[in-house]
Amino acid sequence: MSACGGSGSDDDDSVIGIDPKTSSAAKAGAGTAVAGSDTAAAAPATVVAGIGEREAARLLTQATFGPSLAEIERVAAMSAAAYVDEQIATAPTSHLARCRALKNADGAVDKNSRTDTWWELSLTAPDQLRQRVAFALSEIMVVSDRNDSVGTAYEGLCYYYDILLNHAFGNYRELLEDVTLSPEMGRYLSMLGNRKPDATIGRRADENFGREVMQLFSLGLSKLNPDGSLMLDADGKPIDVYRQADIENMARIFTGWTWGGSTRFFGGTTNWLSAMTPFDSEHDSGAKTLVGNVAVAAGGTARSDLAIALDTLYQHPNVGPFIGRQLIQRLVTSNPSRAYVGRVAAAFNDDGHGVRGNLGAVIRAILLDEEARRGVAENPNFGKVREPLLRQTHLWRALDAQPSINGRYSYRAATVELGQSPLSAPSVFNFFSPGYSPQGGLRSAGLVTPEYQLANESSVPTAANRLYTALFYDYVGNSEISADAIRVDLSALISQAGDVDTLLDVLDLLLMSGQMDADVRATLKTHLAAVAVDADDGRARVQRAVYLLMASPQYLVQR
C-alpha cells in the first residue's frame, strides 16, 4: 500500500507540496499553475502540484477534528505547506465569546454553555488546526472541571481554553506564563493563595504547581537527548532532571499570587477572567536555587522571581523534545522515530529565524515532516489509536452534522458514553499517559499506545452503542429524533448508495484516507450488496456501511 493507502503505483501524490510530481488533482487539471508561459522555451515551467485527495484526507485527519468531502476536495489542490500556513494565519475563534452567547433559560452561563461551545467550534470553526492544537495542549497543560476548585467556573474554563487557542502558534514562553498566571490553573493546582513559608508555625509553600509545571508542562522526569531519548548515567539508568529540593524552591517561587485585580491577598473578589495579581508581602523573597543550579538572588519580587523561574524552564534543553514528542503523539503518531522528534525539537530550539519556542514553527515541523507525510508507507508501527472524542468529531464532520432541533451542538453525555469530555480529565495527568503501554506484545516491543488506556470492558461497547445511535437514530429527517441531538446528514452518501463500490470508494476516502484494507472492503461489499436500497433509497445501506467501518479495528488506528 502506498503512503496514501492506494494501489502503490508509481504516480503517488506529492505530499509536502514542493515536489513537482503530478498529483491526482493535477491530472484532473486542478490545483496546477504554470509560470512564465511566454518564456517556456528559455526556462522550464514551474508546476505547483496539489497533494491529491488521499493525502489531503490524511493531512486533515491529523490537523483538524476530521475531514469533510468538501474540505478534502479543496485541500487536494493545495500543497500541505500551503494548507498549514493558511491555518496558522487564520484568526482564533473565541470560546469565551461563544460561551457567553449560549446562556441557559435563566440568563446564566452554565456547564452546557461551555461544552456546547466546545462541540460547536470543534465541528464548525474555520481555524481547525488552531482548535485541534488547543485541544492537544489542553491534554498537556491540564485543567479539569472534575476538580471542585474550578468545576463551576464555566466562563473561566472558556477563558482558559482561549489562552491555549491564542498561543497555539505563539511562543511557548508566553503560553507558559499565561497558563501559570491563569486563575483556573491557580485554583486547580493551588498556586492561587500560596503563601510564603513560616517556620514558626510550620507552614510550607504549596508544592503542587511547582512540581507539575516541571513534570508535566515543560521538562518531564528525566534528562533527555535532543532526539527525546533518555540520557543515561554510567550505570545505564535514567538521570533525574530535577530533585526534591528543586520542587521546594519552585514552590517558594510561586508564592504571593491571588485573584486578579484584588486589593488584598485574602478575601478579594473572585475573578476567573484575568491573570492573578502579585502581593509581595506574601511572597518568599529569600535566595533560591532552581533546576540546573540557577541561582535566584534574595530580595526579588513575586513577579521578578516568577520571570526567572519560567525563563529557566523555557531555556532548559528538555523542553523541545518533551513537548514536541507529545504534540507529535496528539496529532500524528504514538511512536515517532528519534529522528522525527529531533527535527521537531530543533524547530522548537530555533524556528529558522533565531527564535526559540515558536509553536507555529513546531506545528509546521510536525505536520510537514517526511515521517508525518510518508511514515504510513515506511513503518508498520506508524499511527495512533483514535481517542473516543476525536472519533465522534470525525463522524460528525464527515457527515455534515447539523445542530439539534433546539439549535445547539449539544453532547452532554460525552463523559459517560466516550470516557472523555473537554477539560474534564480525571486528574492533572490527563485521560491517558503519553507513555502508556498495555501488557503484551506492544510493551514487549517498546511501543506505547496512550489512548488505549481509555479502553476497557465498559468503554468499548458503550462507544459502539454511541456510534449506532448517532447513525440509526440521530439523522436529519428522523421524526422521532431527540430535540437535543446533533444530527448527521446522510443525503450525500445516500446519493452514492445505489452502487456499493462507489459508496465504499467515498467512505474509504472520507473515513480511512484511502487506506481501507482489501479484505475489509471485500467483507463490507458482500454484506452491503445484500442490503436492499428500495425501501429507504439506500439509507440503511449507508448507515450499515459507516457503522461497520468506523467500528472496525482498522479504522480505530489513525494512519
Side-chain angles (χ1 to χ4, degrees):
M1 186 175 288
S2 73
C4 299
S7 62
S9 60
D10 292 335
D11 57 357
D12 285 342
D13 297 344
S14 169
V15 293
I16 300 180
I18 57 175
D19 184 347
K21 292 180 181 177
T22 304
S23 71
S24 57
K27 291 174 186 174
T32 62
V34 180
S37 56
D38 291 340
T39 58
T46 299
V47 178
V48 180
I51 57 176
E53 289 183 336
R54 291 172 177 169
E55 184 57 24
R58 282 192 70 241
L59 177 60
L60 290 166
T61 298
Q62 296 166 343
T64 74
F65 281 98
S68 66
L69 287 174
E71 193 70 346
I72 290 172
E73 181 179 3
R74 185 181 78 86
V75 176
M78 304 171 69
S79 69
Y83 174 74
V84 172
D85 290 343
E86 171 197 86
Q87 284 289 297
I88 289 175
T90 302
T93 306
S94 169
H95 280 236
L96 180 58
R98 185 58 181 152
C99 176
R100 286 171 164 170
L102 295 178
K103 295 178 180 178
N104 61 24
D106 296 326
V109 171
D110 59 13
K111 181 172 182 177
N112 293 334
S113 306
R114 181 182 74 78
T115 57
D116 289 2
T117 291
W118 190 91
W119 287 103
E120 178 180 336
L121 298 187
S122 295
L123 295 177
T124 67
D127 53 324
Q128 276 289 298
L129 178 57
R130 185 184 295 273
Q131 297 286 335
R132 180 69 188 272
V133 171
F135 177 62
L137 291 171
S138 79
E139 295 188 320
I140 298 171
M141 297 175 164
V142 173
V143 164
S144 173
D145 68 359
R146 292 170 72 171
N147 185 301
D148 291 341
S149 64
V150 296
T152 58
Y154 308 121
E155 287 189 74
L157 290 170
C158 288
Y159 166 85
Y160 181 77
Y161 207 84
D162 277 356
I163 289 175
L164 306 181
L165 280 169
N166 292 334
H167 291 295
F169 307 133
N171 191 276
Y172 170 82
R173 172 62 176 79
E174 295 172 2
L175 168 65
L176 187 61
E177 179 163 334
D178 280 4
V179 164
T180 297
L181 293 182
S182 70
E184 294 74 26
M185 184 61 75
R187 286 284 284 161
Y188 186 61
L189 292 182
S190 53
M191 176 182 155
L192 191 153
N194 185 22
R195 303 178 68 186
K196 63 184 177 182
D198 186 342
T200 64
I201 60 173
R203 185 175 68 220
R204 298 166 57 89
D206 190 296
E207 298 176 2
N208 204 6
F209 184 75
R211 178 188 304 105
E212 308 308 355
V213 72
M214 293 190 289
Q215 179 179 343
L216 301 177
F217 303 168
S218 58
L219 307 183
L221 292 172
S222 303
K223 289 186 178 181
L224 302 176
N225 293 307
D227 63 4
S229 59
L230 292 172
M231 285 188 183
L232 303 177
D233 63 17
D235 297 321
K237 296 179 180 180
I239 304 169
D240 292 341
V241 70
Y242 60 83
R243 305 158 298 168
Q244 176 59 29
D246 296 320
I247 297 173
E248 293 171 4
N249 281 317
M250 275 291 183
R252 294 170 58 208
I253 287 281
F254 297 121
T255 53
W257 295 87
T258 191
W259 297 106
S262 290
T263 57
R264 57 184 185 273
F265 192 76
F266 296 109
T269 302
T270 299
N271 180 358
W272 293 108
L273 304 181
S274 67
M276 293 187 288
T277 292
F279 277 76
D280 290 331
S281 60
E282 295 295 338
H283 174 66
D284 183 341
S285 59
K288 310 166 189 75
T289 302
L290 304 181
V291 60
N293 292 317
V294 173
V296 180
T301 65
R303 196 174 293 280
S304 66
D305 280 3
L306 181 136
I308 294 171
L310 297 187
D311 285 345
T312 298
L313 297 179
Y314 170 63
Q315 294 293 342
H316 196 283
N318 262 35
V319 181
F322 180 71
I323 296 297
R325 179 184 177 85
Q326 289 189 74
L327 289 173
I328 294 171
Q329 288 183 310
R330 299 282 56 77
L331 301 177
V332 177
T333 183
S334 294
N335 296 279
S337 69
R338 291 182 178 181
Y340 187 9
V341 175
R343 290 189 292 269
V344 170
F348 181 94
N349 295 339
D350 186 336
D351 66 356
H353 302 283
V355 177
R356 178 178 176 81
N358 180 347
L359 292 177
V362 170
I363 297 302
R364 201 175 190 276
I366 289 170
L367 292 174
L368 301 183
D369 191 85
E370 60 185 22
E371 190 163 324
R373 307 273 49 88
R374 293 291 190 188
V376 67
E378 300 170 356
N379 180 1
N381 297 321
F382 180 86
K384 63 189 290 291
V385 172
R386 302 178 197 258
E387 55 193 283
L389 188 147
L390 294 180
R391 298 202 300 267
Q392 190 66 50
T393 60
H394 187 185
L395 169 72
W396 279 333
R397 281 180 57 81
L399 301 187
D400 192 24
Q402 305 298 306
S404 69
I405 295 171
N406 291 333
R408 291 171 69 150
Y409 288 87
S410 301
Y411 184 24
R412 296 161 187 177
T415 299
V416 174
E417 295 182 341
L418 302 180
Q420 273 188 296
S421 187
L423 294 185
S424 195
S427 77
V428 72
F429 297 101
N430 191 30
F431 299 98
F432 43 79
S433 165
Y436 177 76
S437 182
Q439 291 185 354
L442 289 171
R443 186 179 296 182
S444 298
L447 300 174
V448 299
T449 53
E451 300 84 355
Y452 198 69
Q453 194 169 359
L454 283 168
N456 55 56
E457 63 275 9
S458 173
S459 66
V460 172
T462 300
N465 291 339
R466 170 64 247 178
L467 175 62
Y468 187 90
T469 298
L471 288 166
F472 288 86
Y473 291 95
D474 299 343
Y475 60 88
V476 173
N478 181 8
S479 60
E480 299 178 356
I481 193 172
S482 165
D484 293 324
I486 297 174
R487 301 167 293 163
V488 297
D489 186 347
L490 302 173
S491 58
L493 294 179
I494 287 174
S495 70
Q496 309 293 327
D499 184 87
V500 173
D501 280 318
T502 299
L503 177 61
L504 288 176
D505 285 345
V506 173
L507 292 178
D508 185 13
L509 177 65
L510 187 59
L511 302 178
M512 302 290 294
S513 304
Q515 301 172 72
M516 190 188 302
D517 182 82
D519 290 339
V520 171
R521 185 184 180 104
T523 300
L524 283 173
K525 182 175 180 179
T526 299
H527 175 79
L528 296 174
V531 180
V533 298
D534 300 333
D536 59 7
D537 297 323
R539 189 188 73 239
R541 178 177 283 180
V542 167
Q543 289 167 323
R544 290 195 189 194
V546 176
Y547 178 80
L548 291 171
L549 187 55
M550 292 190 74
S552 70
Q554 189 187 13
Y555 168 78
L556 294 178
V557 178
Q558 170 192 309
R559 302 195 74 218

